[in-house]
């Protein structure tokens, strides 16, 4: 017995020593700005653009291909994060979109990437200088690179009219006035408007074929089905349609003739497990390059031998890593490729398909690259839910642990319908694992990619079977000895924030605490405050949560809303909210903070006045995770980095609300 006891002490000592070898990685490695990101090669291959910090915000920079990155010059000096950017097809302009502090009312801007300027920056022109509009880009012209087709909801906030937009002078010309609940516009290879998408009040959708001024319905789907046009065929007479209509469970790729309505099946998942994933088309030959499907990981099926040969060549150079073609010249002769994995800091290389030259361009996070041996593997798992449904997901355990009796973070994705977790590097997951937590990510019913039946199985199941899918994942890890049942926290953003509140309210004994990030607490007020331009999806939303205009719907919504079960919440809760969030309004956070405070419950509240649906400014993001890290450490005992930059500490104080000052006045009806 004495020898056995000594052996146990020795083993525990070795495990402890091994755990101590894993350094506490600075949270800035995970949530600070990358050094360089979003690289794109210009259409002619002469320039490389990329995102790099300027005054704390990621802005667009450019350099000639032959110049080193430290010789690049900034093109923009935005004070808030950009939503994305791209080159026009002739390389004359870089276009980008930007909203105001997360309000999602985005405008389109243009900047000349090679223009000289006497100032530090060339002029950025707002091409759609309208207030309170959410501009959508429907087509970027290749025939006339000075032309965009955009949707603008200035006339009617719920619906987007179609405009042509000249980049050089900002001239807007209305092409189609939307009075028929049109949700999308599709252009063929000749850039003719051929297809319009329409929805009705019940959420049913129609694909309309346009001949002259005549619109003819050619394909219809119900609110529980989906269909979308992915591209046009070589001779421009037919389009590729992805659909799960009727008896189809897994979405399938078809070729459709809009004149005869004839459908020809092209492909579905060869393994018969998941929905059709992606279609890649050569924009020069108009032929299919590849198709893809995502289960635990993504499988690519190559249709073009040249592309396949290049891909296999690159794979041979980076064994054990994933490779993506991320940007190319117009003729596909030169590429920027991304090399990545679940426990690797990504790298971006230049690749010349003719010479096979392969040159490292940049590592977005070079400091993380130095310590990537301390990153944790993400492992696909599955388990049965309460009704026997198989739930896929991912489990990440800390490096150096034995994978047993660990504190667990249940990280719930947003959406929820149609969104899913994917395998790969996730800064939030790696941050939590480095602090000593196992991380469970469940693709609960309603998650996308697993077929129509799995998708629709979440309808009217908020707080019920959808929550069971998460709960039973936790139970499975407890039963297998992975999770310590006394040290489990649920956390997530958007729907994940809702699931956090639901977890604490409906399974109060399962979790030690929760972290709710921009999550709705009251589904009634969530539905009342959705943005006007979400009107086309109202029936879709009602199908998920219940129709508030019916008694049955009201009852279902009340049962599912954590606010009405606040008495049952008995564990600490951290709430994080953006004041400008157009999707989940600040009132969703305010009302549950007030309700919990009045019941004497433990609740903390972060509120950023310059954020929307999530925290995107680096200083806010760093402050949020510093507080989250401290909160988790105090409750379930993970590691905690106490020090933080002065700017982050200052910002954390600014966004921390005294819950005694929070008020909420229900909206008058």
């Amino acid at each position: 017995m004495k020898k056995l006891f000594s052996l146990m002490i020795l083993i525990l000592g070795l495990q402890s020593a091994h755990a101590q070898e894993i350094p506490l990685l600075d949270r800035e490695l995970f949530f600070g700005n990358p050094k360089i990101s979003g690289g794109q090669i210009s259409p002619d291959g002469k320039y490389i653009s990329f995102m790099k910090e300027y005054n704390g915000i990621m802005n667009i920079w450019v350099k000639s291909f032959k110049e080193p990155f430290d010789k690049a010059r900034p093109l923009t000096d935005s004070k808030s994060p950009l939503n994305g950017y791209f080159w026009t097809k002739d390389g004359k302009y870089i276009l980008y979109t930007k909203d105001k502090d997360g309000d999602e009312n985005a405008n389109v801007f243009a900047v000349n990437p090679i223009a000289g300027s006497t100032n530090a920056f060339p002029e950025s022109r707002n091409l759609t200088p309208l207030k309170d509009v959410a501009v959508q880009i429907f087509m970027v012209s290749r025939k006339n690179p000075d032309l965009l087709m955009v949707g603008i909801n200035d006339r009617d906030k719920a619906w987007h009219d179609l405009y042509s937009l000249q980049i050089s002078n900002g001239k807007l010309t209305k092409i189609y006035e939307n009075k028929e609940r049109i949700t999308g516009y599709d252009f063929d290879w000749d850039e003719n408007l051929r297809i319009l998408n329409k929805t009705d009040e019940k959420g049913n959708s129609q694909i309309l074929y346009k001949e002259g001024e005549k619109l003819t319905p050619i394909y219809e789907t119900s609110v529980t089905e989906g269909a979308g046009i992915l591209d046009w065929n070589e001779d421009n007479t037919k389009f590729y349609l992805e659909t799960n209509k009727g008896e189809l469970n897994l979405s399938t790729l078809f070729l459709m003739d809009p004149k005869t309505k004839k459908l020809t099946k092209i492909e579905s998942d060869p393994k018969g497990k998941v929905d059709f994933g992606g279609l890649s088309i050569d924009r020069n030959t108009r032929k299919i390059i590849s198709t893809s499907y995502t289960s635990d990981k993504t499988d690519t099926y190559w249709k073009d031998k040249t592309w396949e040969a290049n891909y296999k060549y690159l794979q041979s150079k980076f064994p054990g890593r994933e490779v993506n073609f991320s940007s190319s010249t117009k003729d596909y002769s030169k590429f920027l490729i991304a090399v990545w994995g679940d426990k690797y800091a990504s790298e971006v290389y230049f690749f010349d398909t003719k010479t096979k030259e392969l040159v490292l361009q940049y590592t977005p996070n070079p400091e993380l690259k130095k310590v990537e041996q301390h990153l944790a593997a993400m492992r696909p798992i599955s388990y049965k839910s309460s009704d026997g449904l198989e739930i896929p997901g991912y489990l990440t355990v800390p490096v150096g642990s034995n994978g047993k009796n660990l504190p667990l973070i249940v990280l719930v994705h947003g959406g929820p319908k149609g969104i899913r977790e994917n395998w790969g590097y996730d800064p939030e997951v790696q941050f939590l694992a480095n602090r000593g937590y196992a991380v469970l990510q469940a693709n609960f019913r309603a998650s996308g990619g697993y077929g129509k039946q799995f998708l629709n199985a979440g309808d009217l199941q908020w707080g019920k079977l959808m929550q069971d899918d998460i709960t039973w994942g936790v139970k499975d890890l407890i039963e297998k000895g992975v999770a310590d049942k006394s040290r489990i926290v649920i956390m997530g953003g958007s729907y994940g924030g809702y699931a956090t509140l639901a977890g604490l309210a409906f399974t109060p004994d399962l979790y030690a605490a929760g972290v709710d990030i921009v999550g709705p607490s009251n589904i009634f007020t969530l539905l009342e405050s959705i943005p006007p331009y979400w009107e086309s999806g109202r029936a879709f939303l009602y199908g998920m949560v219940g129709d508030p205009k019916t008694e049955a719907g009201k009852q279902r919504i009340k049962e599912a809303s954590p606010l009405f079960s606040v008495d049952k919440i008995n564990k600490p809760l951290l709430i994080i909210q953006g004041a400008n969030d157009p999707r989940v309004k600040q009132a969703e956070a305010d009302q549950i903070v007030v309700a919990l405070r009045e019941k004497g419950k433990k609740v903390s509240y972060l509120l950023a006045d310059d954020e929307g649906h999530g925290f995107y400014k680096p200083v806010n993001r760093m402050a949020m995770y510093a507080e989250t890290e401290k909160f988790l450490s105090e409750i379930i005992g993970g590691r905690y980095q106490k020090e933080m930059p002065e700017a982050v500490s200052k910002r954390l104080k600014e966004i921390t609300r005294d819950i005694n000052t929070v008020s909420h006045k229900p909206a008058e009806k």
Side-chain angles (χ1 to χ4, degrees):
M1 179 64 74
K2 188 175 181 180
K3 288 182 179 180
L4 178 61
F5 180 74
S6 299
L7 181 61
M8 289 176 64
I9 291 294
L10 178 61
I11 291 171
L12 289 172
L14 288 172
Q15 288 179 343
S16 176
H18 187 57
Q20 290 173 5
E21 292 173 6
I22 307 303
L24 186 70
L25 301 180
D26 195 306
R27 72 176 69 89
E28 189 167 1
L29 291 176
F30 304 107
F31 305 118
N33 280 332
K35 297 299 181 185
I36 296 175
S37 68
Q40 295 182 27
I41 193 166
S42 63
D44 60 7
K46 294 180 179 179
Y47 296 91
I48 289 181
S49 58
F50 54 93
M51 304 292 289
K52 180 181 174 181
E53 184 178 271
Y54 188 86
N55 286 338
I57 298 295
M58 296 298 282
N59 274 276
I60 304 171
W61 295 60
V62 71
K63 73 178 190 71
S64 73
F65 178 77
K66 296 180 180 179
E67 285 181 316
F69 278 84
D70 60 9
K71 296 296 183 182
R73 57 192 178 87
L75 293 180
T76 60
D77 63 345
S78 176
K79 305 302 185 291
S80 59
L82 308 184
N83 299 332
Y85 82 94
F86 59 92
W87 291 78
T88 54
K89 302 306 178 183
D90 58 1
K92 285 187 176 180
Y93 299 99
I94 285 178
L95 305 183
Y96 63 94
T97 61
K98 183 176 70 168
D99 65 9
K100 183 179 180 182
D101 291 335
D103 66 2
E104 298 186 12
N105 289 320
N107 287 142
V108 180
F109 295 78
V111 61
N112 185 337
I114 56 175
S117 175
T118 56
N119 301 316
F121 303 91
E123 178 190 9
S124 274
R125 293 179 293 116
N126 188 347
L127 302 180
T128 55
L130 303 167
K131 290 185 177 181
D132 300 324
V133 299
V135 179
Q136 298 177 350
I137 298 176
F138 287 109
M139 192 268 286
V140 181
S141 177
R142 297 182 74 233
K143 296 178 67 176
N144 176 9
D146 193 40
L147 180 69
L148 295 178
M149 290 291 181
V150 299
I152 300 178
N153 60 332
D154 60 335
R155 181 187 58 82
D156 185 335
K157 295 301 179 187
W159 307 102
H160 286 74
D161 297 330
L162 181 67
Y163 287 81
S164 66
L165 170 60
Q166 283 184 255
I167 299 168
S168 57
N169 58 23
K171 181 181 178 182
L172 281 166
T173 304
K174 187 181 289 187
I175 302 297
Y176 190 90
E177 188 166 290
N178 182 5
K179 295 183 177 180
E180 299 87 16
R181 298 177 61 96
I182 302 300
T183 58
Y185 306 89
D186 194 87
F187 299 80
D188 64 14
W189 288 109
D190 293 329
E191 301 181 355
N192 297 313
L193 178 60
R194 297 274 296 276
I195 298 291
L196 291 83
N197 295 283
K198 178 181 178 180
T199 186
D200 65 18
E201 290 82 357
K202 295 181 179 180
N204 303 312
S205 297
Q206 284 186 330
I207 294 177
L208 307 175
Y209 179 52
K210 187 176 186 296
E211 292 181 288
E213 298 303 312
K214 183 181 178 183
L215 294 177
T216 305
I218 59 172
Y219 197 78
E220 299 183 10
T221 50
S222 72
V223 70
T224 57
E225 300 170 328
I229 296 173
L230 304 184
D231 224 318
W232 291 76
N233 71 337
E234 293 175 56
D235 64 12
N236 215 27
T237 60
K238 305 176 182 67
F239 55 76
Y240 294 104
L241 179 75
E242 179 188 358
T243 180
N244 61 9
K245 181 178 178 177
E247 296 181 358
L248 290 173
N249 177 38
L250 300 179
S251 69
T252 300
L253 182 67
F254 292 88
L255 192 61
M256 184 173 188
D257 186 326
K259 292 186 176 181
T260 65
K261 303 181 186 179
K262 181 183 177 182
L263 286 172
T264 303
K265 181 179 177 180
I266 302 297
E267 190 177 280
S268 59
D269 181 14
K271 297 178 180 178
K273 293 182 178 180
V274 295
D275 289 327
F276 182 82
L279 176 71
S280 178
I281 298 281
D282 185 316
R283 57 180 174 257
N284 297 322
T285 66
R286 304 179 183 177
K287 293 181 178 180
I288 298 178
I289 296 170
S290 66
T291 55
S292 64
Y293 300 83
T294 301
S295 181
D296 294 337
K297 296 182 181 180
T298 297
D299 292 320
T300 300
Y301 296 88
W302 296 97
K303 315 300 179 182
D304 183 289
K305 297 300 182 184
T306 300
W307 280 79
E308 182 178 19
N310 284 327
Y311 176 74
K312 288 184 175 179
Y313 173 79
L314 292 169
Q315 271 196 321
S316 72
K317 297 297 182 182
F318 303 103
R321 311 285 175 104
E322 301 293 320
V323 176
N324 291 129
F325 296 97
S326 58
S327 177
S328 74
T329 54
K330 189 182 296 186
D331 63 357
Y332 297 123
S333 65
K334 299 176 178 65
F335 286 90
L336 292 183
I337 64 160
V339 180
W340 58 280
D342 58 338
K343 55 180 182 176
Y344 302 104
S346 64
E347 297 172 309
V348 174
Y349 288 79
F350 167 78
F351 176 55
D352 188 315
T353 61
K354 296 177 180 178
T355 66
K356 297 297 185 285
E357 181 184 18
L358 191 61
V359 182
L360 177 66
Q361 295 299 293
Y362 62 88
T363 301
N365 196 335
E367 295 304 311
L368 183 66
K369 191 72 181 173
K370 295 176 183 177
V371 295
E372 69 178 6
Q373 70 270 27
H374 302 304
L375 299 180
M378 181 185 285
R379 179 167 61 89
I381 61 169
S382 67
Y383 55 87
K384 292 279 203 292
S385 187
S386 59
D387 61 351
L389 184 65
E390 191 80 15
I391 305 299
Y394 301 94
L395 176 66
T396 303
V397 300
V399 175
S401 80
N402 62 4
K404 297 295 182 182
N405 202 37
L406 295 168
L408 174 71
I409 306 298
V410 183
L411 196 59
V412 187
H413 72 68
K417 197 168 184 178
I419 307 299
R420 59 158 289 172
E421 299 285 9
N422 286 286
W423 180 88
Y425 174 79
D426 185 319
E428 195 171 35
V429 170
Q430 293 296 340
F431 166 71
L432 293 169
N434 180 255
R435 270 47 181 168
Y437 306 114
V439 182
L440 170 65
Q441 298 169 280
N443 278 321
F444 46 83
R445 70 192 71 202
S447 298
Y450 298 99
K452 182 172 61 180
Q453 294 170 7
F454 191 89
L455 187 72
N456 294 329
D459 287 353
L460 303 181
Q461 295 301 321
W462 284 41
K464 290 193 172 183
L465 287 175
M466 285 174 70
Q467 199 70 29
D468 281 358
D469 296 347
I470 300 165
T471 301
W472 259 252
V474 176
K475 290 181 176 181
D476 182 68
L477 294 182
I478 293 173
E479 289 173 4
K480 290 176 178 175
V482 175
D484 177 350
K485 66 179 181 180
S486 66
R487 295 188 294 164
I488 299 173
V489 169
I490 185 168
M491 171 177 168
S494 196
Y495 176 83
Y498 162 82
T500 295
L501 299 175
L504 296 188
F506 305 144
T507 52
D509 297 327
L510 186 63
Y511 299 108
V515 181
D516 157 30
I517 306 167
V518 298
S521 61
N522 180 351
I523 299 173
F524 287 112
T525 51
L526 173 73
L527 294 174
E528 289 167 1
S529 62
I530 60 172
Y533 49 87
W534 281 26
E535 184 59 35
S536 63
R538 185 175 291 276
F540 177 81
L541 290 172
Y542 288 177
M544 282 196 292
V545 300
D547 187 342
K549 299 190 296 295
T550 69
E551 290 305 314
K554 289 178 183 177
Q555 182 63 29
R556 176 80 277 275
I557 291 171
K558 186 173 183 180
E559 290 173 357
S561 295
L563 182 69
F564 301 110
S565 294
V566 75
D567 284 344
K568 299 176 184 176
I569 297 177
N570 54 30
K571 302 294 171 55
L573 176 63
L574 172 61
I575 293 178
I576 299 165
Q577 180 68 40
N580 304 314
D581 193 338
R583 309 185 194 190
V584 178
K585 300 284 190 180
Q586 179 183 330
E588 293 299 315
D590 287 348
Q591 59 189 311
I592 197 160
V593 167
V594 169
L596 288 166
R597 181 192 68 204
E598 292 179 352
K599 297 289 184 181
K601 310 286 186 174
K602 186 175 181 180
V603 59
S604 305
Y605 188 17
L606 302 184
L607 177 68
D609 59 359
D610 55 351
E611 295 284 7
H613 198 60
F615 281 22
Y616 294 98
K617 290 186 176 179
V619 69
N620 292 335
R621 194 165 61 237
M622 292 277 287
M624 173 187 115
Y625 281 108
E627 183 65 19
T628 299
E629 183 179 359
K630 179 184 176 185
F631 178 80
L632 296 175
S633 177
E634 291 173 346
I635 294 168
I636 58 173
R639 302 193 296 174
Y640 167 47
Q641 179 188 354
K642 294 181 181 179
E643 68 276 4
M644 65 186 80
E646 184 178 344
V648 174
S649 177
K650 178 176 181 290
R651 189 57 180 147
L652 180 56
K653 291 176 182 176
E654 292 171 348
I655 66 176
T656 300
R657 290 291 304 272
D658 178 351
I659 64 167
N660 294 311
T661 66
V662 178
S663 62
H664 173 68
K665 182 179 180 181
E668 296 181 4
K669 296 183 180 180

